[in-house]
Amino acid sequence: MEWDQLTYAHTKDIAPFFAAFCVHCKKFSYWHVFDQYVRDLETEMKLKRLQSAAVSPPRTRPAATRSDTPPLKKIEASRMVVPDQVTAPTAHPDMPHDVRAEYEEARRIASASPRSAAALLRLAIQRLCVHLGQPGKNLNKEIGALVEHGLPVEMQQALDVLRVVGNNAVHPGELSPDDVADVASSLFSLLNEIIEERISRPKKRRELFDALPEGARKAIEKRDRQ
């Protein structure tokens, strides 16, 4: 990578942004570089050892360490801003087109807004329920109907996780932004697992059955009509 620090337009003032040129793909990416404060674990451990030894810490220690606040240290951090960072898994190849549209939008915004991504994934499974034979109106009832028709408990749990997190993500007080961020990346994998179980595997079984000789298929159909 080749890095160049940027300046503000029409000035020579340094901006907290860098342009990175990839010598392999011949494309640019742009990064925001900023100061970030994190726990200074080394200093924290030293203070704990002093306290356990009943030795008063030196008066010259940083002000932040003279209270219950953990000592902090400043580090330089960076975040890629262009192109958008997309870390969620790609959509399952058998995902229906309308479900994929919601999934891809959620995937594009997941790093910037996990709550919005969770809400979009809830909409995606509501669309998926239509492909599974449900009207796509009341998601809670439709998951229950799928269970009555033999939906495995693992798939029911995955659908309900997507439903509940997607609901609560847009209702104040239900889930904190941090709570949603912690599980948002897993929601994409859950949806892909549901597609694999309820769409891809039945499709593969049908293809194998259709590949049987016509005489064998007719004999099976005759047997099942009896």
Side-chain angles (χ1 to χ4, degrees), residues 84-128:
D84 291 336
Q85 295 188 68
V86 178
T87 58
T90 56
H92 193 290
D94 288 330
M95 188 176 291
H97 178 74
D98 56 342
V99 180
R100 182 187 293 268
E102 308 297 347
Y103 183 98
E104 292 295 352
E105 184 176 352
R107 186 168 174 263
R108 287 194 298 272
I109 66 171
S111 59
S113 179
R115 296 171 68 233
S116 299
L120 283 166
L121 290 176
R122 185 206 175 280
L123 179 57
I125 63 166
Q126 189 156 357
R127 297 192 187 282
L128 176 61

Side-chain angles (χ1 to χ4, degrees), residues 43-168:
T43 300
E44 193 172 340
M45 290 302 296
K46 288 180 180 178
L47 290 172
K48 286 181 178 178
R49 285 196 294 269
L50 288 171
Q51 291 168 359
S52 64
V55 177
S56 299
R59 292 183 178 182
T60 56
R61 71 186 189 276
T65 66
R66 290 199 288 266
S67 68
D68 293 333
T69 304
L72 303 177
K73 63 179 178 181
K74 184 171 70 172
I75 63 171
E76 190 175 78
S78 62
R79 182 174 67 90
M80 186 169 66
V81 292
V82 179
D84 291 336
Q85 295 188 68
V86 178
T87 58
T90 56
H92 193 290
D94 288 330
M95 188 176 291
H97 178 74
D98 56 342
V99 180
R100 182 187 293 268
E102 308 297 347
Y103 183 98
E104 292 295 352
E105 184 176 352
R107 186 168 174 263
R108 287 194 298 272
I109 66 171
S111 59
S113 179
R115 296 171 68 233
S116 299
L120 283 166
L121 290 176
R122 185 206 175 280
L123 179 57
I125 63 166
Q126 189 156 357
R127 297 192 187 282
L128 176 61
C129 280
V130 176
H131 294 274
L132 300 179
Q134 300 301 315
K137 301 295 183 183
N138 186 315
L139 188 54
N140 187 41
K141 290 182 179 179
E142 288 164 12
I143 294 174
L146 289 170
V147 170
E148 291 178 1
H149 287 84
L151 183 74
V153 64
E154 295 86 357
M155 293 297 100
Q156 168 260 308
Q157 291 172 347
L159 283 167
D160 276 324
V161 167
L162 285 157
R163 176 183 65 84
V164 172
V165 175
N167 276 345
N168 292 354

